[in-house]
Amino acid sequence: MAEAPAREAGDERTAGWVATDGVEVVGVTKSFDGGPPVLRGVDVSIEAGRTLALLGPSGCGKTTLLRIIAGLEVPDRGIVRVGGKEVTGPKGVVPPEKRRIGMVFQDHALFPHLSVARNVGFGLPRAERRSSPRIDEALEMVGLAGMGDRMPSTLSGGQQQRVALARAIAPRPRVLLLDEPFSNLDATLRVTIRTEIHQLLVELGITTIFVTHDQDEAFILGDRVAVLSEGEVVQSGSPEEVYLRPRTRWLADFVGEANFIPGSGRGDYAVTPIGDVPLERPAEGEVEVLVRPEHLDLHPAAPDSGEGRAGDEVAQVELVEYVGHDTSYLIRQDDLLVRVRRPSLPVVERGERVRLRYSGGPTTWFDLED
Ligand code: ATP
């Protein structure tokens, strides 16, 4: 067992409350009813007190993995350890209720006919279900102190989500699992609740594993992100690693927007139609260079700029999309269509002639056949 990490000063509300454990999943394989495996040798892990996002497209096996960690599903092969202790594996399977794992489901799954307090008390020992300091404590932690007598139907979607969270933490689990926690909320509420839950998880310092198909959510909440595709972990690492050094072209495209610029590797840089681009590992021959839209600068082209070295080629603005916090552009340069994003008001107009310049750090590249 490891204690939660040190907390910020002034965080009296939750300080020292949670004892939490790391989680390790090793070589987990699972198929249903003799079908093809939906998980194929999955390895993921998260340290005590940190948050792991399981990110992937629909059907890639995220929920199945979460259910295996919870003990609700048994894998064909593989091991799950919580706090270093095997809970699933060759030695057997510890039942879900003995794992000290709290789970929040997609649809909150609150009982409509029970009060908020009774909902929160649901996972507690029978004697504590109607009234217990743990119920009040959990409600206070999620910012719903004094609302125990309300019925779920009188609460907003966000408040209901917090009740579900209170119910999961009331028995003082060592690990929290969240399955698509924001998927039932509308876009505006989603952002607000996401921040609230993020703040709460940081304060609690409880090990959390959550499933999402939303990259923003995974990056914002996850200290680490494991990206799954077709039952396999494509990459796991910090959000920065996954975003800036994706291992595959598919992943580069899945997490954020990506331009793949054809280039010719010359060791630690590539010669491309938008100029020389530094590379994070050496390349020779024909490659595709990953260029994120925010790593491109746009300069209006001077009228006399017909000739020029590589990177000085003139391109044309095909589309300008102003979204308030930034502006996105589609730029055509010969047969290349490139997306550029700048955190500013539009600096050029549709039809204008511009030059593209790479402004990011050493970037990754892919073989053409990837
Ligand atoms: P989503 O985001 O759509 O929920 P997911 O990544 O969470 O997808 P899973 O729910 O884990 O994916 O499902 C992975 C695959 O396993 C799917 O093809 C699904 O149909 C199948 N599957 C999941 N549970 C079962 C089950 N109990 N019986 C049979 N097949 C199942």
Short mmCIF file of all heavy atoms in Angstrom, two decimals, residues 204-247:
data_model
loop_
_atom_site.label_atom_id
_atom_site.label_comp_id
_atom_site.label_asym_id
_atom_site.label_seq_id
_atom_site.Cartn_x
_atom_site.Cartn_y
_atom_site.Cartn_z
N LEU A 204 -8.48 14.49 -3.90
CA LEU A 204 -8.57 13.19 -3.26
C LEU A 204 -7.24 12.45 -3.32
O LEU A 204 -6.86 11.75 -2.40
CB LEU A 204 -9.62 12.32 -3.95
CG LEU A 204 -11.08 12.65 -3.71
CD1 LEU A 204 -11.96 11.80 -4.61
CD2 LEU A 204 -11.44 12.40 -2.26
N GLY A 205 -6.56 12.59 -4.45
CA GLY A 205 -5.31 11.87 -4.62
C GLY A 205 -5.52 10.37 -4.68
O GLY A 205 -4.62 9.59 -4.35
N ILE A 206 -6.70 9.95 -5.12
CA ILE A 206 -6.97 8.52 -5.20
C ILE A 206 -6.61 8.00 -6.60
O ILE A 206 -6.87 8.68 -7.59
CB ILE A 206 -8.45 8.22 -4.86
CG1 ILE A 206 -8.72 6.71 -4.86
CG2 ILE A 206 -9.42 8.93 -5.79
CD1 ILE A 206 -10.10 6.34 -4.32
N THR A 207 -6.02 6.84 -6.66
CA THR A 207 -5.71 6.22 -7.95
C THR A 207 -7.00 6.09 -8.74
O THR A 207 -7.98 5.53 -8.23
CB THR A 207 -5.13 4.81 -7.74
OG1 THR A 207 -4.08 4.90 -6.81
CG2 THR A 207 -4.62 4.23 -9.05
N THR A 208 -7.00 6.60 -9.95
CA THR A 208 -8.21 6.58 -10.76
C THR A 208 -7.90 6.05 -12.15
O THR A 208 -6.90 6.46 -12.75
CB THR A 208 -8.81 8.00 -10.87
OG1 THR A 208 -9.05 8.51 -9.57
CG2 THR A 208 -10.11 8.00 -11.65
N ILE A 209 -8.75 5.18 -12.63
CA ILE A 209 -8.62 4.72 -14.01
C ILE A 209 -9.95 5.03 -14.68
O ILE A 209 -11.01 4.67 -14.14
CB ILE A 209 -8.33 3.21 -14.09
CG1 ILE A 209 -7.06 2.89 -13.30
CG2 ILE A 209 -8.19 2.76 -15.55
CD1 ILE A 209 -6.68 1.42 -13.29
N PHE A 210 -9.91 5.74 -15.77
CA PHE A 210 -11.18 6.05 -16.42
C PHE A 210 -11.11 5.82 -17.91
O PHE A 210 -10.06 5.92 -18.53
CB PHE A 210 -11.68 7.45 -16.07
CG PHE A 210 -11.00 8.55 -16.81
CD1 PHE A 210 -11.62 9.13 -17.91
CD2 PHE A 210 -9.76 8.99 -16.44
CE1 PHE A 210 -11.01 10.14 -18.61
CE2 PHE A 210 -9.13 10.00 -17.13
CZ PHE A 210 -9.75 10.58 -18.21
N VAL A 211 -12.28 5.49 -18.43
CA VAL A 211 -12.42 5.13 -19.84
C VAL A 211 -13.03 6.30 -20.59
O VAL A 211 -13.99 6.92 -20.11
CB VAL A 211 -13.37 3.90 -19.92
CG1 VAL A 211 -14.05 3.83 -21.26
CG2 VAL A 211 -12.61 2.63 -19.63
N THR A 212 -12.48 6.62 -21.74
CA THR A 212 -13.07 7.66 -22.57
C THR A 212 -12.68 7.46 -24.02
O THR A 212 -11.67 6.85 -24.31
CB THR A 212 -12.62 9.07 -22.08
OG1 THR A 212 -13.22 10.04 -22.92
CG2 THR A 212 -11.11 9.24 -22.12
N HIS A 213 -13.53 7.99 -24.92
CA HIS A 213 -13.13 7.99 -26.32
C HIS A 213 -12.77 9.42 -26.74
O HIS A 213 -12.53 9.70 -27.89
CB HIS A 213 -14.24 7.43 -27.21
CG HIS A 213 -15.51 8.21 -27.12
ND1 HIS A 213 -16.49 7.93 -26.22
CD2 HIS A 213 -15.91 9.29 -27.80
CE1 HIS A 213 -17.46 8.82 -26.34
NE2 HIS A 213 -17.13 9.66 -27.29
N ASP A 214 -12.75 10.33 -25.73
CA ASP A 214 -12.55 11.75 -25.99
C ASP A 214 -11.12 12.15 -25.63
O ASP A 214 -10.71 12.05 -24.47
CB ASP A 214 -13.57 12.51 -25.14
CG ASP A 214 -13.52 14.00 -25.35
OD1 ASP A 214 -12.45 14.61 -25.15
OD2 ASP A 214 -14.56 14.57 -25.70
N GLN A 215 -10.39 12.59 -26.61
CA GLN A 215 -8.97 12.90 -26.39
C GLN A 215 -8.78 14.03 -25.37
O GLN A 215 -7.88 13.97 -24.52
CB GLN A 215 -8.31 13.28 -27.72
CG GLN A 215 -6.85 13.58 -27.60
CD GLN A 215 -6.48 14.90 -28.24
OE1 GLN A 215 -7.07 15.28 -29.25
NE2 GLN A 215 -5.53 15.61 -27.67
N ASP A 216 -9.61 15.07 -25.47
CA ASP A 216 -9.48 16.19 -24.53
C ASP A 216 -9.59 15.69 -23.10
O ASP A 216 -8.77 16.01 -22.23
CB ASP A 216 -10.59 17.23 -24.74
CG ASP A 216 -10.39 18.04 -26.00
OD1 ASP A 216 -9.35 17.83 -26.67
OD2 ASP A 216 -11.27 18.85 -26.33
N GLU A 217 -10.65 14.89 -22.88
CA GLU A 217 -10.89 14.35 -21.55
C GLU A 217 -9.70 13.53 -21.05
O GLU A 217 -9.25 13.68 -19.92
CB GLU A 217 -12.09 13.42 -21.66
CG GLU A 217 -13.22 13.79 -20.77
CD GLU A 217 -14.46 13.08 -21.25
OE1 GLU A 217 -14.59 11.86 -21.05
OE2 GLU A 217 -15.30 13.79 -21.83
N ALA A 218 -9.20 12.68 -21.93
CA ALA A 218 -8.08 11.81 -21.56
C ALA A 218 -6.86 12.64 -21.19
O ALA A 218 -6.19 12.39 -20.18
CB ALA A 218 -7.74 10.86 -22.70
N PHE A 219 -6.59 13.68 -21.97
CA PHE A 219 -5.40 14.48 -21.74
C PHE A 219 -5.54 15.37 -20.51
O PHE A 219 -4.59 15.57 -19.77
CB PHE A 219 -5.10 15.36 -22.97
CG PHE A 219 -4.36 14.63 -24.06
CD1 PHE A 219 -4.49 13.27 -24.24
CD2 PHE A 219 -3.51 15.32 -24.92
CE1 PHE A 219 -3.81 12.59 -25.22
CE2 PHE A 219 -2.81 14.65 -25.91
CZ PHE A 219 -2.96 13.29 -26.07
N ILE A 220 -6.74 15.90 -20.30
CA ILE A 220 -6.94 16.82 -19.17
C ILE A 220 -6.85 16.06 -17.85
O ILE A 220 -6.16 16.48 -16.92
CB ILE A 220 -8.29 17.55 -19.30
CG1 ILE A 220 -8.21 18.54 -20.47
CG2 ILE A 220 -8.67 18.25 -18.01
CD1 ILE A 220 -9.53 19.16 -20.85
N LEU A 221 -7.55 14.93 -17.78
CA LEU A 221 -7.62 14.23 -16.49
C LEU A 221 -6.49 13.23 -16.28
O LEU A 221 -6.14 12.92 -15.15
CB LEU A 221 -8.95 13.49 -16.36
CG LEU A 221 -10.11 14.32 -15.83
CD1 LEU A 221 -10.76 15.13 -16.91
CD2 LEU A 221 -11.15 13.43 -15.19
N GLY A 222 -5.95 12.70 -17.37
CA GLY A 222 -4.99 11.60 -17.22
C GLY A 222 -3.57 12.09 -16.95
O GLY A 222 -3.03 12.89 -17.71
N ASP A 223 -2.97 11.59 -15.86
CA ASP A 223 -1.52 11.81 -15.70
C ASP A 223 -0.81 10.95 -16.74
O ASP A 223 0.23 11.32 -17.26
CB ASP A 223 -1.05 11.35 -14.31
CG ASP A 223 -1.69 12.18 -13.22
OD1 ASP A 223 -1.59 13.41 -13.30
OD2 ASP A 223 -2.31 11.60 -12.31
N ARG A 224 -1.43 9.80 -16.99
CA ARG A 224 -0.96 8.92 -18.06
C ARG A 224 -2.14 8.53 -18.93
O ARG A 224 -3.27 8.46 -18.45
CB ARG A 224 -0.32 7.65 -17.49
CG ARG A 224 0.98 7.90 -16.80
CD ARG A 224 1.57 6.62 -16.28
NE ARG A 224 2.01 5.72 -17.34
CZ ARG A 224 3.16 5.86 -18.00
NH1 ARG A 224 3.96 6.86 -17.72
NH2 ARG A 224 3.50 5.00 -18.93
N VAL A 225 -1.83 8.29 -20.18
CA VAL A 225 -2.88 7.90 -21.13
C VAL A 225 -2.42 6.60 -21.79
O VAL A 225 -1.28 6.51 -22.25
CB VAL A 225 -3.05 8.99 -22.21
CG1 VAL A 225 -4.10 8.57 -23.23
CG2 VAL A 225 -3.43 10.33 -21.57
N ALA A 226 -3.31 5.61 -21.81
CA ALA A 226 -3.03 4.39 -22.58
C ALA A 226 -4.03 4.35 -23.73
O ALA A 226 -5.24 4.36 -23.50
CB ALA A 226 -3.19 3.15 -21.70
N VAL A 227 -3.51 4.37 -24.95
CA VAL A 227 -4.41 4.39 -26.11
C VAL A 227 -4.58 2.95 -26.60
O VAL A 227 -3.59 2.26 -26.87
CB VAL A 227 -3.86 5.27 -27.24
CG1 VAL A 227 -4.89 5.36 -28.37
CG2 VAL A 227 -3.51 6.65 -26.73
N LEU A 228 -5.84 2.53 -26.69
CA LEU A 228 -6.13 1.18 -27.16
C LEU A 228 -6.72 1.22 -28.56
O LEU A 228 -7.48 2.13 -28.90
CB LEU A 228 -7.14 0.50 -26.24
CG LEU A 228 -6.57 -0.09 -24.97
CD1 LEU A 228 -6.81 0.83 -23.81
CD2 LEU A 228 -7.20 -1.43 -24.69
N SER A 229 -6.37 0.23 -29.35
CA SER A 229 -7.00 0.05 -30.64
C SER A 229 -7.12 -1.45 -30.86
O SER A 229 -6.15 -2.18 -30.69
CB SER A 229 -6.15 0.70 -31.73
OG SER A 229 -6.62 0.32 -32.99
N GLU A 230 -8.32 -1.87 -31.21
CA GLU A 230 -8.58 -3.29 -31.49
C GLU A 230 -7.97 -4.22 -30.44
O GLU A 230 -7.28 -5.19 -30.78
CB GLU A 230 -8.09 -3.63 -32.89
CG GLU A 230 -8.86 -2.84 -33.94
CD GLU A 230 -8.40 -3.13 -35.36
OE1 GLU A 230 -7.46 -3.90 -35.54
OE2 GLU A 230 -9.01 -2.57 -36.27
N GLY A 231 -8.19 -3.88 -29.19
CA GLY A 231 -7.79 -4.76 -28.10
C GLY A 231 -6.33 -4.72 -27.72
O GLY A 231 -5.87 -5.53 -26.91
N GLU A 232 -5.58 -3.79 -28.32
CA GLU A 232 -4.15 -3.70 -27.97
C GLU A 232 -3.80 -2.28 -27.53
O GLU A 232 -4.40 -1.32 -28.02
CB GLU A 232 -3.29 -4.07 -29.18
CG GLU A 232 -3.35 -5.54 -29.49
CD GLU A 232 -2.51 -5.93 -30.69
OE1 GLU A 232 -2.46 -5.15 -31.66
OE2 GLU A 232 -1.90 -7.01 -30.65
N VAL A 233 -2.80 -2.19 -26.66
CA VAL A 233 -2.31 -0.86 -26.27
C VAL A 233 -1.34 -0.40 -27.35
O VAL A 233 -0.32 -1.03 -27.59
CB VAL A 233 -1.59 -0.91 -24.90
CG1 VAL A 233 -1.01 0.46 -24.55
CG2 VAL A 233 -2.55 -1.37 -23.82
N VAL A 234 -1.70 0.67 -28.02
CA VAL A 234 -0.83 1.20 -29.08
C VAL A 234 0.33 1.97 -28.45
O VAL A 234 1.46 1.90 -28.89
CB VAL A 234 -1.63 2.14 -30.02
CG1 VAL A 234 -0.78 2.61 -31.18
CG2 VAL A 234 -2.88 1.46 -30.52
N GLN A 235 0.00 2.72 -27.40
CA GLN A 235 1.05 3.47 -26.70
C GLN A 235 0.51 3.89 -25.35
O GLN A 235 -0.68 4.20 -25.21
CB GLN A 235 1.42 4.73 -27.51
CG GLN A 235 2.58 5.51 -26.91
CD GLN A 235 3.12 6.57 -27.88
OE1 GLN A 235 2.73 6.62 -29.04
NE2 GLN A 235 4.00 7.42 -27.39
N SER A 236 1.38 3.90 -24.34
CA SER A 236 0.97 4.55 -23.10
C SER A 236 2.10 5.45 -22.63
O SER A 236 3.28 5.16 -22.83
CB SER A 236 0.58 3.52 -22.03
OG SER A 236 1.67 2.77 -21.66
N GLY A 237 1.72 6.55 -22.06
CA GLY A 237 2.71 7.53 -21.63
C GLY A 237 2.00 8.76 -21.14
O GLY A 237 0.77 8.76 -20.97
N SER A 238 2.77 9.83 -20.91
CA SER A 238 2.14 11.08 -20.50
C SER A 238 1.40 11.64 -21.72
O SER A 238 1.73 11.28 -22.86
CB SER A 238 3.21 12.07 -20.05
OG SER A 238 4.00 12.45 -21.17
N PRO A 239 0.42 12.52 -21.48
CA PRO A 239 -0.28 13.12 -22.62
C PRO A 239 0.71 13.77 -23.60
O PRO A 239 0.54 13.65 -24.81
CB PRO A 239 -1.19 14.17 -21.97
CG PRO A 239 -1.44 13.64 -20.61
CD PRO A 239 -0.18 12.92 -20.19
N GLU A 240 1.75 14.42 -23.08
CA GLU A 240 2.72 15.08 -23.97
C GLU A 240 3.44 14.07 -24.85
O GLU A 240 3.62 14.31 -26.05
CB GLU A 240 3.78 15.85 -23.15
CG GLU A 240 3.26 17.03 -22.36
CD GLU A 240 2.67 16.62 -21.01
OE1 GLU A 240 2.54 15.42 -20.70
OE2 GLU A 240 2.30 17.53 -20.27
N GLU A 241 3.84 12.96 -24.25
CA GLU A 241 4.52 11.93 -25.05
C GLU A 241 3.63 11.41 -26.17
O GLU A 241 4.05 11.26 -27.31
CB GLU A 241 4.92 10.73 -24.16
CG GLU A 241 6.20 10.95 -23.41
CD GLU A 241 6.37 9.95 -22.27
OE1 GLU A 241 5.47 9.10 -22.04
OE2 GLU A 241 7.39 10.04 -21.60
N VAL A 242 2.38 11.12 -25.78
CA VAL A 242 1.46 10.55 -26.77
C VAL A 242 1.17 11.56 -27.88
O VAL A 242 1.07 11.20 -29.05
CB VAL A 242 0.16 10.09 -26.06
CG1 VAL A 242 -0.91 9.69 -27.05
CG2 VAL A 242 0.46 8.94 -25.10
N TYR A 243 1.07 12.82 -27.52
CA TYR A 243 0.73 13.85 -28.51
C TYR A 243 1.91 14.21 -29.40
O TYR A 243 1.79 14.32 -30.62
CB TYR A 243 0.22 15.10 -27.79
CG TYR A 243 -0.27 16.18 -28.73
CD1 TYR A 243 -1.47 16.03 -29.42
CD2 TYR A 243 0.46 17.35 -28.92
CE1 TYR A 243 -1.93 17.02 -30.28
CE2 TYR A 243 0.00 18.34 -29.77
CZ TYR A 243 -1.20 18.17 -30.44
OH TYR A 243 -1.65 19.14 -31.30
N LEU A 244 3.06 14.37 -28.77
CA LEU A 244 4.22 14.86 -29.54
C LEU A 244 5.06 13.74 -30.14
O LEU A 244 5.75 13.96 -31.13
CB LEU A 244 5.11 15.74 -28.64
CG LEU A 244 4.45 17.05 -28.16
CD1 LEU A 244 5.35 17.77 -27.18
CD2 LEU A 244 4.12 17.96 -29.34
N ARG A 245 5.00 12.56 -29.54
CA ARG A 245 5.79 11.45 -30.10
C ARG A 245 4.93 10.20 -30.26
O ARG A 245 5.24 9.14 -29.71
CB ARG A 245 6.99 11.16 -29.19
CG ARG A 245 8.03 12.29 -29.24
CD ARG A 245 9.31 11.90 -28.53
NE ARG A 245 9.15 11.79 -27.11
CZ ARG A 245 9.01 12.82 -26.27
NH1 ARG A 245 9.00 14.05 -26.73
NH2 ARG A 245 8.88 12.63 -24.99
N PRO A 246 3.84 10.31 -31.01
CA PRO A 246 2.99 9.13 -31.21
C PRO A 246 3.77 8.06 -31.95
O PRO A 246 4.55 8.37 -32.84
CB PRO A 246 1.83 9.67 -32.06
CG PRO A 246 2.37 10.88 -32.74
CD PRO A 246 3.39 11.47 -31.80
N ARG A 247 3.52 6.80 -31.58
CA ARG A 247 4.30 5.71 -32.18
C ARG A 247 3.85 5.35 -33.58
O ARG A 247 4.62 4.79 -34.34
CB ARG A 247 4.19 4.46 -31.31
CG ARG A 247 5.11 4.54 -30.16
CD ARG A 247 5.61 3.15 -29.75
NE ARG A 247 6.20 3.33 -28.44
CZ ARG A 247 5.69 2.80 -27.34
NH1 ARG A 247 4.66 2.00 -27.40
NH2 ARG A 247 6.25 3.05 -26.18
#
